[in-house]
Amino acid sequence: MNIGDDVATAYSSGLSSREAQIMTLIAAGHSNGQIAERLVLAEKTVKNHVNRIYAKLGVGSRPAAISRWAPGPPGTDAAPD
């Protein structure tokens, strides 16, 4: 996924630029603690962002958020309907 894809996905999902930044790091496999350290934020702040991301994407877990954020190729079951 490239930056243009991230921006388009963030816009269509209603994510803020910070939420999109965090979601990109989540999709790359980073933990909340790693994201907090990398972005110089409190881990609680990252957790709050993650909860808002889940709400905006309509999901309840990291794997579901990643699937919604970076769906697989058309015709696969990786992307929810």
Side-chain angles (χ1 to χ4, degrees):
M1 177 173 272
N2 64 43
I3 293 297
D5 291 339
D6 287 349
V7 172
T9 302
Y11 180 76
S12 68
S13 302
L15 300 185
S16 70
S17 59
R18 176 61 96 183
E19 290 165 346
Q21 185 179 32
I22 289 171
M23 191 59 232
T24 300
L25 292 171
I26 289 170
H30 296 281
S31 69
N32 288 353
Q34 291 168 327
I35 294 168
E37 186 175 315
R38 182 170 180 159
L39 299 180
V40 192
L41 297 171
E43 192 167 346
K44 175 67 175 159
T45 301
V46 173
K47 191 173 186 176
N48 289 336
H49 281 298
V50 170
N51 287 329
R52 282 193 299 276
I53 290 166
Y54 287 1
K56 288 180 179 182
L57 295 178
V59 299
S61 68
R62 235 172 171 84
I66 292 167
S67 178
R68 180 70 51 100
W69 178 253
T76 70
D77 292 331
D81 293 332

